[in-house]
Amino acid sequence: MKAAILGATGLVGQRFIQLLNSHEWFEIAALTGSERSVGVEYGSAVSWRMETELKRKIGELIVQPTDPRNVDADVVFSALPAEQAMDTEEKFAKEGFIVVSNASAHRMDPDVPLMNPEANFNHLSLIDEQRRQRKWDGAIVTNPNCTTAVLTLSLKPIAAGFGLRNVIISSMQAASGAGYPGVASLDIIDNVIPFINGEEEKVQKETQKILGAPGQPAEFNVSASCHRVAVIDGHTEAVFVQTQKPASPEEIIRCMEEFTAEPQKLKLPTAPEHPVVTKVEQDRPQPRFDRGEGHGMAVVVGRVRSDPVFSGVKYVVLGHNTIRGAAGCAVLIAESMKSQGYI
Amino acid sequence: MKAAILGATGLVGQRFIQLLNSHEWFEIAALTGSERSVGVEYGSAVSWRMETELKRKIGELIVQPTDPRNVDADVVFSALPAEQAMDTEEKFAKEGFIVVSNASAHRMDPDVPLMNPEANFNHLSLIDEQRRQRKWDGAIVTNPNCTTAVLTLSLKPIAAGFGLRNVIISSMQAASGAGYPGVASLDIIDNVIPFINGEEEKVQKETQKILGAPGQPAEFNVSASCHRVAVIDGHTEAVFVQTQKPASPEEIIRCMEEFTAEPQKLKLPTAPEHPVVTKVEQDRPQPRFDRGEGHGMAVVVGRVRSDPVFSGVKYVVLGHNTIRGAAGCAVLIAESMKSQGYI
Amino acid sequence: MKAAILGATGLVGQRFIQLLNSHEWFEIAALTGSERSVGVEYGSAVSWRMETELKRKIGELIVQPTDPRNVDADVVFSALPAEQAMDTEEKFAKEGFIVVSNASAHRMDPDVPLMNPEANFNHLSLIDEQRRQRKWDGAIVTNPNCTTAVLTLSLKPIAAGFGLRNVIISSMQAASGAGYPGVASLDIIDNVIPFINGEEEKVQKETQKILGAPGQPAEFNVSASCHRVAVIDGHTEAVFVQTQKPASPEEIIRCMEEFTAEPQKLKLPTAPEHPVVTKVEQDRPQPRFDRGEGHGMAVVVGRVRSDPVFSGVKYVVLGHNTIRGAAGCAVLIAESMKSQGYI
Amino acid sequence: MKAAILGATGLVGQRFIQLLNSHEWFEIAALTGSERSVGVEYGSAVSWRMETELKRKIGELIVQPTDPRNVDADVVFSALPAEQAMDTEEKFAKEGFIVVSNASAHRMDPDVPLMNPEANFNHLSLIDEQRRQRKWDGAIVTNPNCTTAVLTLSLKPIAAGFGLRNVIISSMQAASGAGYPGVASLDIIDNVIPFINGEEEKVQKETQKILGAPGQPAEFNVSASCHRVAVIDGHTEAVFVQTQKPASPEEIIRCMEEFTAEPQKLKLPTAPEHPVVTKVEQDRPQPRFDRGEGHGMAVVVGRVRSDPVFSGVKYVVLGHNTIRGAAGCAVLIAESMKSQGYI
């Protein structure tokens, strides 16, 4: 099946290319970019920042305008900036394209699935609703903000087993989350930046939407404090949880270890065997050693312990922000959609 | 007045030297060290890691054994490792010395003041109790763990104005907190370490002791998650607070800005004019730019905002971990003691 | 005397403000900026990145257009980008302004002094030539590229004492050399960038011009390899030197230690007492500990040792790239000009 | 064939394990360690710092004393510290073991091959001489210091094609070169350390030995300046070369690209297809992106350009210091020895 990537020169666009490059179902058929890049070979237009080499075949593709008329594809992955995504993604959906988007523009639209497949596979059902309301044959489906993707994957087994009442999360986010060039080195060497524009609101609302029923956000409270640290890839999150039913650290660990969902059952190509991996070492997870777990699609949880404030648990979770938290999640969504006949 | 520094070659010992070097009340009279250093000139024994030069006069002092018989001083600052501090500090107190200690060994002893002077100046009264019980003329007074020192200074105005019910804190701690050589570069470049041995327990208990009455720990709950990041100096802490009386972010900011205490009233030499400085810029405090505030003795608070979980507030606080969080706090304690006739 | 700063919002512009803020001769009278900033208070227009606070009085200055008609000043410091500097600086000189520039645009003009005051104070004489040829009453004088400023200050005593035949230099340059935002954190965390556009050519040519007679570049060879490393401030340079007369490491150290020049003799306010400081510790100089030497105006040399290739010496030199290597050097040039009646 | 690793808990020991873990010829049969570790499961004794997981089977091996009586192996890889290596390696050789060592102890012994296989495969012939002189059946063969391994691989094609007269090299070395814990984070964050004990002498002498004939060091001059930067893995080296016959940058690039040697011809398992990879991008090589080239066994060269001092060339070369520069090189040596019947 043919895949197009909108906004392919940015950091998430590059990650899409890396992940789709040898994908067993999808083949990269078109790359689009901003005016500056259109008509140029992708290899010349991009500041390639992945650790693996850009394949020559991809590097020779000519960058197309981000316009439905220039794209022929079974699925369209959007790595567009939020402002541009708003209209452009709708334009593609109207023309019948399936758009799986990493942009925040449509995430909170009630009829747009905001999906982290292991956490809310059933939200795919919103697509039918969306088509009816918007009168189009295409679809827009979104993946969460990077911090939310990591958080909700770790929360899902707890929500399922014990129910959630309150969640407090403090993040230590990687520089790659801000794109390229993104965070200036003068801002992050020997430093922490305790602010990421709009991030905390996204984490709070998106988490409720994902862990709720389709169309019905969950009602537990979420409070986030988001910070940037000197890390290339991998968001680390300290999480404090008050559950509805009491749960010991051991029970929490067990429910995480046993957790699998539809993507695992359907053996989707990008689904990690264990979506939530737990560590017994007391100083893990660490970005440099754990961000590659499950090819970047698993989250790694450590330090599950009792919390004296909530009489609940606290733990640390880590996930790869541009794989599980962005491009990888979107690819898994597309695989989920294909498995259900939407693509 | 003559000051001695026990364990003077470590990172906190060096900070003591830097702070006392031109102090208007105290003069460095003796430096002690481990066997390896005894008898050697301090300048040769130390791996000096301060940004300012070691003064020649200090560098030429001969390192003494850590033994009361080798020390003649009005006040003794202890930068000893915890294991060694336990017995050694008692030995000095028995010999009539006033020991102000950065070690954790005696912090939780009920009759030992654990002091952050602006937060609990009145705990000095425990000294009388201590002398009665321990039958000695000296005294042991301790400063808090670095993370706790920063936290409690920011909490004190809130506690005083609105009362505390629950406090959750997630830290991003500097490498210097682990001493020298301390954290290996292979562990912290492009990485976060989500574990600091014993730290969370210290933060939880010490905070309750400091913000309680003398001899009576406060009863609010504290839960901490502690992490190490690639920063030289300056601990950043994300704090979520449930107050007893409702308080808006504006009220919290005002009570912090207006906060002063005995050290300010007594114009103690090391007391910062404003112990809690608030920032309006949304991306502050930052370690590199704010750790020097009040010569490292003030904490800097930013991003005070409403918290949806506690219907309280959340904020970010930063303080210099080896100044306000260690040596500087100890010096301010000694100044407080002198002002009350204990030295 | 009144000073204006052209291009005041960039990193070098900020350093000019920091240095001139309490200068005994010059007072900041005007700040200019790009269209985006004109008419705005400086404090709002700038992303202030200095470690010291921006003074309120400066922050309230309204940013002016970079046009001679909007500026009233005895000396104009230019922190303009090279492209803009070319014409704009000439326009100011034509209107009679004394322009001291950090831009590279005019550095290699034969009638423009390229000055590192301790190295070539006598190049001031080119100003008369410049005025005659260009038929203007003003003047353009330039400071060197940051790497060259550090290098030539360390080479001057050697050139004077032993003559130079060949110089090879390999640099490890700080991120601040690229301005703000400048180097992306994704490019420098856990990385080295072995390329800085145009830098090596500048180092090679500027060094010959500075260490030659006025109007006559020196004839020794220089070869540079320039690299960017994860350091905030402070360029480190490994230098291999073939002298004309044989020189032992001890002789080189002595000639560096004894070196002073006109700025020291005239006691110019910004001149460091010892322009070249030597270290005996075998692991120095280091950026974090030595970049502040002489308030950032001295260079620090260490590891002077024999070189088996040149039968000469090799050493490591470090200097603060935005002080000695940019704004501080320009201020010292202005002081030199004033001392000779040019301002 | 059975392989033992001496000093298996250190950083180079870990790299040996990672490389041998799925090696087609060698199987890990024994791991030795210091007293502290002996008798303990390797997984508990080691601070595992590789990015890939430690295999369970290896983790369960019991650490043995470093004594020939406890080891049964066809080849012994030594990752011992230099002091210990001196005697211990001889003891193993006397007992008939083939020792391939990363330690510096025996590298400069005239009858011990110091090998970088693509550069001096023919030095294997020294083994016969060694056996005759030392009257043992075993053998000691060494790999170079990490910086030298990277340097000599890039120099070999130049030496072969044009001859070498002078080589100046300035290194920017990764933290992993100092082992674990090694470089303190307080020494390298926002810093450069311009000194590595003994390194420059090693680079100078080892380069001459490797690029000479067996038993006859080459006569060209080498001068090194060695520096540590904030990089995890990958040494970057700026190299200035005076050749005997004139060579243009294009000729140098061509001879590097066309370079292969016995390990490639023999298709040894660890030999990279292209030992010297050249880059056309002007800002490469970079440690983060290029250290994995050829599974860490190739060096990457960029920025080949004319050098005005030597009328020669200068370039930047990068290689993985614990793979090509240590364990990987040793494994390739063992493969070379096996191919010639020495194992």
Side-chain angles (χ1 to χ4, degrees):
Chain A
M1 309 195 86
K2 283 182 283 186
I5 300 166
L6 311 185
T9 58
L11 214 55
V12 172
Q14 295 177 35
R15 195 59 87 179
F16 271 121
I17 288 173
Q18 193 194 44
L19 294 175
L20 293 175
N21 195 57
S22 55
H23 195 278
E24 46 182 293
W25 293 356
F26 303 122
E27 190 187 13
I28 298 173
L31 303 176
T32 84
S34 58
E35 265 179 55
R36 206 169 33 79
S37 311
V38 167
V40 179
E41 284 199 358
Y42 181 74
S44 312
V46 73
S47 278
W48 186 252
R49 278 296 166 281
M50 300 293 104
E51 289 78 11
T52 53
E53 293 279 309
L54 176 61
K55 295 286 144 68
R56 178 178 304 232
K57 215 187 65 184
I58 304 294
E60 288 173 358
L61 288 176
I62 302 299
V63 177
Q64 302 297 322
T66 307
D67 187 308
R69 288 169 300 185
N70 296 76
V71 170
D72 171 23
D74 300 295
V75 59
V76 166
F77 292 101
S78 166
L80 294 171
E83 327 77 68
Q84 198 192 342
M86 184 60 82
D87 289 349
T88 306
E89 293 177 2
E90 294 190 0
K91 222 183 290 180
F92 274 83
K94 264 181 211 148
E95 294 297 322
F97 285 97
I98 302 295
V99 180
V100 183
S101 173
N102 180 58
S104 63
H106 293 287
R107 282 185 200 145
M108 296 307 297
D109 292 0
D111 60 347
V112 168
L114 171 61
M115 288 191 61
N116 199 3
E118 283 90 344
N120 64 344
F121 198 87
N122 61 334
H123 283 215
L124 280 176
S125 65
L126 283 172
I127 295 174
D128 304 326
E129 166 85 1
Q130 180 190 126
R131 286 175 167 170
R132 217 171 316 131
Q133 286 198 11
R134 308 225 186 184
K135 302 190 170 60
W136 60 32
D137 295 331
I140 298 176
V141 182
T142 59
N143 65 260
N145 154 288
C146 46
T147 308
T148 307
V150 173
L151 176 65
T152 52
L153 190 49
S154 74
L155 285 176
K156 177 66 185 184
I158 307 179
F162 305 92
L164 297 174
R165 186 159 290 155
N166 284 300
V167 175
I168 280 182
I169 175 236
S170 174
S171 72
M172 289 156 282
Q173 302 185 213
S176 62
Y180 183 82
V183 182
S185 55
L186 292 181
D187 283 335
I188 208 69
I189 294 175
D190 187 17
N191 210 15
V192 167
I193 310 175
F195 178 69
I196 301 173
N197 201 8
E199 190 86 349
E200 295 172 357
E201 296 70 21
K202 286 179 193 167
V203 172
Q204 295 172 181
K205 284 193 195 155
E206 294 181 11
T207 298
Q208 292 168 325
K209 180 169 177 179
I210 292 169
L211 294 178
Q216 274 187 308
E219 289 191 347
F220 61 87
N221 300 307
V222 187
S223 181
S225 192
C226 293
H227 319 87
R228 187 84 66 194
V229 295
V231 166
I232 294 285
D233 287 315
H235 286 0
T236 307
E237 308 177 9
V239 187
F240 303 77
V241 181
Q242 186 173 38
T243 49
Q244 290 181 352
K245 287 196 292 179
S248 70
E250 294 69 32
E251 289 171 310
I252 295 292
I253 292 170
R254 196 170 337 117
C255 81
M256 287 175 165
E257 283 181 345
E258 292 171 355
F259 177 68
T260 57
E262 287 81 353
Q264 282 71 39
K265 281 162 211 148
L266 297 165
K267 294 189 190 303
L268 300 181
T270 300
E273 193 183 334
H274 299 287
V276 185
V277 172
T278 63
K279 287 275 175 186
V280 293
E281 297 92 334
Q282 63 186 1
D283 62 351
R284 298 286 279 270
Q286 293 180 19
R288 200 148 65 78
F289 296 104
D290 295 312
R291 61 194 168 203
E293 188 69 47
H295 300 283
M297 285 300 291
V299 298
V300 181
V301 169
R303 305 205 65 227
V304 184
R305 57 214 193 281
S306 295
D307 171 69
V309 161
F310 285 140
S311 308
V313 294
K314 49 184 170 182
Y315 63 86
V316 177
V317 59
L318 176 131
H320 197 299
N321 53 301
T322 66
I323 302 180
R324 169 50 78 169
C329 191
V331 171
L332 186 58
I333 292 170
E335 295 168 0
S336 303
M337 293 176 74
K338 183 174 173 316
S339 79
Q340 304 303 301
Y342 286 103
I343 300 185
Chain B
M1 311 194 84
K2 284 183 281 188
I5 300 166
L6 312 184
T9 56
L11 214 55
V12 172
Q14 296 179 34
R15 196 59 88 178
F16 271 121
I17 288 173
Q18 192 194 45
L19 294 174
L20 293 175
N21 195 58
S22 54
H23 195 277
E24 46 181 296
W25 294 356
F26 303 121
E27 191 186 11
I28 299 173
L31 304 177
T32 84
S34 57
E35 265 178 58
R36 207 171 31 80
S37 311
V38 167
V40 179
E41 284 199 357
Y42 180 74
S44 311
V46 72
S47 277
W48 187 253
R49 278 295 167 282
M50 301 291 104
E51 288 79 10
T52 53
E53 293 278 310
L54 175 62
K55 294 288 143 68
R56 178 177 306 230
K57 217 186 62 183
I58 303 295
E60 289 171 358
L61 288 176
I62 302 298
V63 177
Q64 304 296 322
T66 307
D67 188 307
R69 290 169 298 184
N70 297 77
V71 170
D72 171 22
D74 301 295
V75 59
V76 166
F77 293 101
S78 165
L80 295 171
E83 326 76 70
Q84 198 192 343
M86 184 61 83
D87 288 348
T88 306
E89 293 178 0
E90 294 190 1
K91 223 183 290 179
F92 273 84
K94 265 180 211 149
E95 295 296 323
F97 285 97
I98 302 296
V99 180
V100 183
S101 173
N102 180 59
S104 63
H106 292 287
R107 281 186 201 146
M108 296 307 297
D109 292 1
D111 61 348
V112 169
L114 172 61
M115 288 191 61
N116 199 2
E118 285 90 343
N120 64 343
F121 199 87
N122 61 333
H123 284 215
L124 280 176
S125 64
L126 284 172
I127 296 174
D128 304 326
E129 166 85 359
Q130 179 189 125
R131 288 176 167 168
R132 218 170 316 133
Q133 287 198 9
R134 308 225 187 184
K135 300 192 171 61
W136 60 33
D137 296 330
I140 298 176
V141 182
T142 58
N143 65 259
N145 155 286
C146 47
T147 307
T148 307
V150 173
L151 176 66
T152 52
L153 191 49
S154 75
L155 284 176
K156 177 65 186 184
I158 308 179
F162 304 94
L164 296 174
R165 187 158 290 154
N166 284 300
V167 175
I168 281 182
I169 174 235
S170 174
S171 72
M172 289 156 281
Q173 301 185 215
S176 63
Y180 182 82
V183 181
S185 55
L186 292 181
D187 283 335
I188 208 68
I189 294 174
D190 187 17
N191 210 14
V192 168
I193 310 174
F195 177 69
I196 300 172
N197 200 9
E199 189 86 349
E200 297 173 356
E201 296 69 21
K202 287 180 192 166
V203 172
Q204 295 173 181
K205 283 192 196 156
E206 294 181 12
T207 297
Q208 292 168 327
K209 178 169 177 180
I210 291 170
L211 295 179
Q216 275 188 305
E219 290 190 346
F220 60 88
N221 301 307
V222 187
S223 180
S225 192
C226 293
H227 319 87
R228 188 82 66 192
V229 295
V231 165
I232 293 285
D233 287 315
H235 286 1
T236 307
E237 308 176 9
V239 187
F240 304 76
V241 181
Q242 185 173 39
T243 49
Q244 292 180 352
K245 288 194 293 179
S248 69
E250 293 71 29
E251 289 172 309
I252 295 292
I253 292 170
R254 198 171 332 119
C255 80
M256 287 175 166
E257 283 180 346
E258 291 171 355
F259 176 68
T260 56
E262 286 81 354
Q264 283 71 38
K265 281 160 210 149
L266 296 165
K267 293 188 190 306
L268 299 181
T270 300
E273 194 183 334
H274 299 287
V276 185
V277 172
T278 62
K279 286 276 176 186
V280 293
E281 296 91 334
Q282 64 186 2
D283 62 351
R284 298 288 278 271
Q286 293 180 19
R288 200 149 64 77
F289 297 105
D290 295 313
R291 60 193 169 202
E293 188 71 46
H295 299 284
M297 285 299 292
V299 297
V300 180
V301 169
R303 306 204 65 225
V304 184
R305 57 215 193 281
S306 295
D307 171 69
V309 160
F310 285 139
S311 308
V313 293
K314 49 184 169 180
Y315 63 86
V316 177
V317 60
L318 176 131
H320 197 298
N321 53 302
T322 66
I323 302 181
R324 168 52 77 168
C329 191
V331 172
L332 186 58
I333 292 170
E335 294 168 359
S336 303
M337 292 177 75
K338 186 177 171 313
S339 78
Q340 304 304 301
Y342 286 103
I343 300 186
Chain C
M1 309 195 85
K2 284 182 282 188
I5 299 165
L6 311 185
T9 56
L11 215 55
V12 172
Q14 295 177 35
R15 195 59 87 179
F16 271 121
I17 287 173
Q18 192 194 45
L19 294 174
L20 293 175
N21 194 58
S22 54
H23 194 277
E24 45 181 296
W25 293 358
F26 303 122
E27 190 187 14
I28 298 173
L31 303 176
T32 83
S34 58
E35 266 178 55
R36 207 171 32 79
S37 310
V38 168
V40 179
E41 283 199 358
Y42 180 73
S44 312
V46 74
S47 277
W48 187 253
R49 276 297 165 281
M50 301 292 104
E51 289 78 11
T52 55
E53 293 280 309
L54 175 62
K55 294 287 143 68
R56 178 178 305 230
K57 216 186 64 183
I58 303 295
E60 288 172 0
L61 288 176
I62 302 298
V63 177
Q64 302 297 323
T66 306
D67 187 307
R69 288 169 299 185
N70 296 76
V71 170
D72 172 22
D74 300 295
V75 59
V76 166
F77 293 101
S78 165
L80 295 171
E83 326 78 68
Q84 198 191 342
M86 185 59 84
D87 289 348
T88 307
E89 293 178 1
E90 294 191 1
K91 223 184 287 180
F92 274 84
K94 264 181 211 151
E95 294 296 323
F97 286 96
I98 302 296
V99 180
V100 183
S101 173
N102 180 60
S104 63
H106 292 287
R107 281 185 200 147
M108 296 308 297
D109 292 0
D111 61 348
V112 169
L114 171 61
M115 288 192 62
N116 199 3
E118 284 90 345
N120 64 344
F121 198 86
N122 61 334
H123 284 215
L124 280 175
S125 64
L126 283 172
I127 296 175
D128 305 326
E129 166 87 359
Q130 180 189 125
R131 286 176 168 170
R132 217 171 316 132
Q133 287 199 11
R134 308 226 187 183
K135 302 189 170 59
W136 59 33
D137 296 331
I140 298 177
V141 182
T142 58
N143 65 260
N145 155 287
C146 46
T147 306
T148 307
V150 173
L151 176 65
T152 52
L153 191 48
S154 75
L155 285 176
K156 177 65 187 184
I158 306 178
F162 305 93
L164 297 174
R165 186 159 289 154
N166 284 300
V167 176
I168 281 183
I169 174 235
S170 173
S171 72
M172 290 155 281
Q173 303 186 212
S176 62
Y180 182 82
V183 181
S185 55
L186 292 181
D187 283 336
I188 209 68
I189 294 175
D190 187 18
N191 210 14
V192 167
I193 311 175
F195 178 70
I196 301 174
N197 201 9
E199 191 85 350
E200 296 172 356
E201 294 73 20
K202 286 179 192 167
V203 172
Q204 295 172 180
K205 284 192 195 156
E206 294 181 12
T207 297
Q208 292 168 326
K209 180 170 178 180
I210 291 170
L211 294 178
Q216 276 186 304
E219 288 191 346
F220 60 87
N221 300 307
V222 187
S223 180
S225 192
C226 293
H227 319 88
R228 187 84 66 194
V229 295
V231 165
I232 294 286
D233 286 315
H235 286 1
T236 307
E237 308 177 9
V239 187
F240 304 76
V241 181
Q242 186 173 38
T243 50
Q244 292 180 351
K245 288 195 292 177
S248 71
E250 295 68 31
E251 289 171 310
I252 296 291
I253 292 170
R254 194 169 338 116
C255 80
M256 286 176 165
E257 282 181 346
E258 292 171 355
F259 176 68
T260 57
E262 287 81 354
Q264 282 71 39
K265 282 162 211 151
L266 297 166
K267 294 189 191 302
L268 300 181
T270 300
E273 194 183 334
H274 299 287
V276 184
V277 172
T278 62
K279 287 275 176 188
V280 294
E281 297 92 334
Q282 63 186 3
D283 63 350
R284 298 288 277 269
Q286 293 181 19
R288 199 148 65 76
F289 295 105
D290 295 312
R291 62 192 169 204
E293 188 69 47
H295 300 283
M297 285 300 291
V299 297
V300 181
V301 168
R303 306 205 65 228
V304 184
R305 57 213 193 283
S306 294
D307 171 69
V309 160
F310 286 139
S311 308
V313 293
K314 49 184 170 180
Y315 62 86
V316 178
V317 59
L318 176 131
H320 196 299
N321 54 301
T322 66
I323 302 181
R324 169 50 77 169
C329 191
V331 171
L332 187 58
I333 292 170
E335 294 169 0
S336 302
M337 293 176 75
K338 183 175 173 316
S339 78
Q340 303 305 301
Y342 286 104
I343 300 186
Chain D
M1 310 195 86
K2 283 183 283 187
I5 299 166
L6 311 184
T9 58
L11 215 55
V12 172
Q14 295 177 35
R15 195 60 86 180
F16 271 120
I17 288 174
Q18 193 194 44
L19 294 174
L20 292 176
N21 196 57
S22 55
H23 194 277
E24 46 182 295
W25 294 355
F26 303 122
E27 189 186 13
I28 299 173
L31 303 177
T32 84
S34 58
E35 266 178 55
R36 207 170 32 80
S37 311
V38 167
V40 179
E41 285 199 357
Y42 180 73
S44 312
V46 73
S47 278
W48 187 253
R49 278 295 166 282
M50 300 292 104
E51 289 77 12
T52 53
E53 294 279 310
L54 175 61
K55 295 287 144 69
R56 177 177 307 230
K57 216 186 62 182
I58 304 294
E60 288 172 359
L61 288 176
I62 302 298
V63 177
Q64 302 296 322
T66 306
D67 188 307
R69 290 168 299 185
N70 296 78
V71 169
D72 171 23
D74 300 294
V75 60
V76 165
F77 293 101
S78 165
L80 294 171
E83 326 78 69
Q84 199 191 341
M86 184 61 82
D87 288 349
T88 307
E89 294 177 1
E90 294 190 1
K91 220 181 293 178
F92 274 84
K94 265 180 212 151
E95 294 296 323
F97 286 97
I98 303 295
V99 179
V100 183
S101 173
N102 180 59
S104 62
H106 291 286
R107 281 186 201 145
M108 296 307 298
D109 292 1
D111 61 347
V112 169
L114 171 60
M115 287 192 61
N116 199 3
E118 284 90 343
N120 63 343
F121 199 87
N122 61 332
H123 284 214
L124 281 176
S125 64
L126 285 171
I127 296 174
D128 303 326
E129 165 85 359
Q130 180 190 126
R131 287 176 168 170
R132 217 171 316 131
Q133 287 199 8
R134 309 222 187 187
K135 302 189 171 59
W136 61 33
D137 297 331
I140 299 177
V141 182
T142 59
N143 65 258
N145 154 286
C146 46
T147 307
T148 307
V150 173
L151 176 65
T152 52
L153 191 49
S154 74
L155 285 177
K156 178 65 186 184
I158 307 179
F162 305 93
L164 297 174
R165 186 159 291 154
N166 284 300
V167 175
I168 281 183
I169 174 234
S170 174
S171 72
M172 289 156 280
Q173 301 186 214
S176 62
Y180 182 82
V183 182
S185 55
L186 292 181
D187 283 335
I188 208 69
I189 294 175
D190 187 17
N191 211 15
V192 167
I193 309 174
F195 179 69
I196 300 173
N197 201 8
E199 190 85 350
E200 297 173 355
E201 295 71 20
K202 287 179 193 166
V203 172
Q204 296 172 182
K205 284 193 196 153
E206 295 181 11
T207 298
Q208 291 168 327
K209 178 168 177 180
I210 292 170
L211 295 179
Q216 274 187 306
E219 290 191 346
F220 60 88
N221 300 306
V222 186
S223 180
S225 191
C226 293
H227 318 88
R228 187 83 67 194
V229 295
V231 165
I232 293 287
D233 287 316
H235 286 0
T236 308
E237 308 176 9
V239 187
F240 304 76
V241 181
Q242 187 173 38
T243 49
Q244 292 179 352
K245 286 195 293 179
S248 70
E250 294 68 33
E251 289 171 309
I252 296 292
I253 292 170
R254 197 169 335 118
C255 81
M256 287 175 165
E257 283 180 347
E258 291 172 355
F259 177 68
T260 56
E262 286 81 354
Q264 283 71 39
K265 280 161 212 149
L266 297 165
K267 294 189 191 303
L268 300 181
T270 299
E273 193 183 335
H274 299 286
V276 185
V277 172
T278 62
K279 286 276 176 186
V280 293
E281 297 90 335
Q282 63 186 2
D283 62 350
R284 299 288 278 269
Q286 293 180 20
R288 200 148 64 76
F289 296 105
D290 295 313
R291 61 194 169 203
E293 188 70 46
H295 300 284
M297 285 300 290
V299 298
V300 181
V301 169
R303 306 204 64 228
V304 184
R305 57 214 193 281
S306 294
D307 171 69
V309 161
F310 285 139
S311 308
V313 294
K314 47 185 171 181
Y315 62 87
V316 177
V317 60
L318 176 132
H320 196 299
N321 53 302
T322 66
I323 301 180
R324 168 52 76 168
C329 191
V331 172
L332 186 58
I333 292 170
E335 294 168 359
S336 303
M337 292 176 74
K338 184 176 173 314
S339 79
Q340 303 305 301
Y342 287 103
I343 301 187

